[in-house]
Amino acid sequence: AASARVPRPANAFIKYRVYHHATIIANNPGIHNNEISQIIGKMWANETEDVRAHFKAQAEEARQEHLRKYPDYQYQPRKPSEKKRR
């Protein structure tokens, strides 16, 4: 069996998206994930540098933790033929 894949550490936008996800769903019942991403993407684009810096710091912390846990980790994107179809 193939060893479990190590997930990449979350970047600043992913941290921001996770933080706002529940609020967007609460304000827009039945909304689809791609719409949520579009809304949050626009919010992120209009954010202040302070807010962005906060999430960038969180992402950097996650990156450092990931480095400690998986010192030999190297991102290896899969070929399109190896990706699971949903």
Side-chain angles (χ1 to χ4, degrees):
S3 61
R5 287 183 63 85
V6 174
R8 292 168 78 184
N11 65 28
F13 175 72
I14 298 300
K15 295 267 181 199
Y16 181 82
R17 190 189 188 291
V18 168
Y19 182 81
H20 287 287
H21 190 95
T23 310
I24 300 295
I25 289 177
N27 295 334
N28 304 275
I31 191 170
H32 292 285
N33 252 333
N34 57 352
E35 293 173 279
I36 295 170
S37 288
Q38 288 172 358
I39 292 168
I40 296 177
K42 285 177 186 145
M43 288 167 57
W44 176 254
N46 294 317
E47 269 312 344
T48 63
E49 206 39 58
D50 283 354
V51 172
R52 284 170 174 249
H54 170 76
F55 286 97
K56 284 177 184 172
Q58 280 189 7
E60 181 55 27
E61 250 175 60
R63 195 181 75 77
Q64 292 296 334
E65 180 60 28
H66 192 271
L67 246 169
R68 280 192 292 277
K69 274 183 163 171
Y70 311 104
D72 300 326
Y73 174 81
Q74 198 171 6
Y75 176 54
Q76 295 173 317
R78 289 177 283 187
K79 295 184 189 105
S81 61
E82 295 169 350
K83 288 182 183 171
K84 282 187 204 154
R85 289 273 160 232
R86 293 185 206 183

